[in-house]
Amino acid sequence: MDSVQQHMLDSYRAATHGLRPPPPPGRHDGEVLRAISRRIRVWAAAHRPPYA
């Protein structure tokens, strides 16, 4: 099952239970990539090699 089919199934289940539908697939990809990049930069700054 791909992400679109899973989203359709989750949307149907949410509608039958009177809940809000889930966000569409890929909606938060940019935010996740920015968070990962931010964590990598912070880690790299904290683990710089000592100067000789």
Side-chain angles (χ1 to χ4, degrees):
M1 181 180 308
D2 65 2
S3 62
V4 174
Q5 292 171 336
Q6 183 66 47
H7 181 260
M8 290 172 54
L9 181 61
D10 292 342
S11 297
Y12 171 76
R13 288 180 181 161
T16 58
H17 293 357
L19 302 173
R20 291 178 39 197
R27 180 174 177 207
H28 301 291
D29 288 353
E31 182 180 334
V32 170
L33 291 174
R34 282 189 294 276
I36 291 171
S37 174
R38 195 175 316 118
R39 283 185 181 215
I40 289 172
R41 279 185 274 140
V42 168
W43 184 90
H47 293 87
R48 290 187 182 180
Y51 294 104

